[in-house]
Amino acid sequence: MAEFLTDVETLRKRARREIEKGPVTDAYGADLERVLQVLNEALATEIVCTLRYKRHYYTASGLYSEPVAAEFLEHAAEEQQHADKVAQRIVQLGGKPDFNPDTLTHRAHAGYDASADLIEMIKEDLVAERVAIASYTEIAKWLGDGDPTTRRVFEELLAQEEEHADDLRGLLERIPQERKG
């Protein structure tokens, strides 16, 4: 079996020499600046999704709105947790999370929605979840072994976004057909 571990003295010297880099060592194999840009795009996506779900929660009305609004509120809280997780990873990598409200919607992968119809709200949220799923799948594959920690962050987000999409599809299936047309 081939040797794979750098000798301990060399590891210690490198760790001391570049202490200001925090967790980013010579073993980091991704393009750090591009990873930080992608993370900030994901942060914008999660913030926009939080805001969209919050708006839908507060403005949902009609016969079927109560359980749907409850789902919107739950998803809003989870999207906020995603934003916090992404911002935390940006800081760990030595970057600065971009919360600038003037550019959020331009950087976000998913869009904001101001629908007034309950079915349209669900559909727009489902579209946004599908965009996040496709985007985060591509990001996780792109990161590969270059940054396994960030890849795992995206894989965790991806699992929950898939859950959200499934929840929304279920809501659409439970609302009577005549309301869908």
Side-chain angles (χ1 to χ4, degrees):
M1 182 178 263
E3 290 294 318
F4 68 92
L5 186 60
T6 307
D7 71 273
V8 174
E9 275 308 307
T10 301
L11 290 175
R12 289 177 182 165
K13 286 178 185 173
R14 280 187 203 155
R16 287 187 186 288
R17 184 177 58 239
E18 298 178 334
I19 197 167
E20 75 283 350
K21 290 184 177 180
V24 180
T25 67
D26 288 345
Y28 187 83
D31 175 348
L32 181 59
E33 290 308 311
R34 180 67 176 124
V35 169
L36 290 170
Q37 179 185 358
V38 167
L39 282 163
N40 265 308
E41 289 171 4
L43 176 61
T45 301
E46 296 300 333
I47 292 168
V48 168
C49 287
T50 301
L51 295 171
R52 187 188 60 254
Y53 274 122
K54 282 287 205 170
R55 185 193 185 284
H56 289 173
Y57 167 73
Y58 285 111
T59 61
S61 63
L63 184 60
Y64 303 100
S65 64
E66 192 174 316
V68 173
E71 197 71 36
F72 290 160
L73 185 59
E74 180 182 323
H75 288 196
E78 290 168 349
E79 299 294 349
Q80 182 60 57
Q81 291 170 357
H82 295 178
D84 293 341
K85 187 176 287 193
V86 170
Q88 188 173 47
R89 184 62 181 154
I90 291 167
V91 171
Q92 286 173 346
L93 291 173
K96 296 187 180 351
D98 186 349
F99 289 94
N100 184 342
D102 291 335
T103 62
L104 276 177
T105 57
H106 299 292
R107 291 181 288 117
H109 298 176
Y112 183 78
D113 175 67
S115 296
D117 178 75
L118 190 63
I119 297 296
E120 285 306 308
M121 289 178 187
I122 298 169
K123 286 180 179 179
E124 288 303 313
D125 288 334
L126 181 52
V127 167
E129 294 295 352
R130 291 177 49 79
V131 168
I133 290 165
S135 176
Y136 294 173
T137 299
E138 285 186 29
I139 292 167
K141 287 178 184 177
W142 170 71
L143 287 165
D145 293 331
D147 183 342
T149 303
T150 303
R151 183 191 70 232
R152 281 192 304 274
V153 168
F154 278 102
E155 289 169 344
E156 290 171 18
L157 300 182
L158 176 60
Q160 199 153 45
E161 303 299 5
E162 289 175 348
E163 204 175 288
H164 290 174
D166 189 49
D167 292 343
L168 293 165
R169 181 183 61 184
L171 288 173
L172 283 175
E173 290 171 356
R174 288 193 298 269
I175 296 177
Q177 287 293 1
E178 64 270 10
R179 282 285 298 139
K180 290 183 184 179

